[in-house]
Amino acid sequence: MDKKNALRAGAVTAGSTLMMLLMTSPALAVARDDGDDPGPGLSIAQTLGLYVATPIVLFLIIAGLVMVLDKSDKRQPAN
């Protein structure tokens, strides 16, 4: 990658990051909205199960199904 493309990629990345930060600023507001009714918080175990264990288990299930149901020929010897 030459210098011009690297500079362009950096500018696009920086610009999109800045836009994301500007667009999410209302999410950081302290004031509560009318009708806002948050539920009870999650425990540490529930949080880890929901955001760590569940995606890992789903990945392993999908990877296992792909490996088991793979219909392609076995590796052919290199010539």
Side-chain angles (χ1 to χ4, degrees):
M1 180 184 280
D2 61 352
K3 190 174 184 180
K4 188 176 182 181
N5 283 342
L7 195 58
R8 183 180 298 146
V12 168
T13 302
S16 61
T17 302
L18 180 63
M19 289 303 294
M20 292 288 274
L21 287 172
L22 290 173
M23 298 298 286
T24 58
S25 62
L28 303 175
V30 176
R32 302 281 297 269
D33 292 332
D34 290 337
D36 191 13
D37 188 20
L42 298 175
S43 70
I44 293 174
Q46 289 172 326
T47 303
L48 289 175
L50 184 61
Y51 295 109
V52 177
T54 302
I56 291 173
V57 168
L58 286 174
F59 173 80
L60 292 175
I61 290 171
I62 292 169
L65 287 172
V66 167
M67 288 173 24
V68 168
L69 300 175
D70 184 21
K71 299 289 186 199
S72 64
D73 295 333
K74 300 296 179 201
R75 292 184 185 212
Q76 297 183 7
N79 291 334

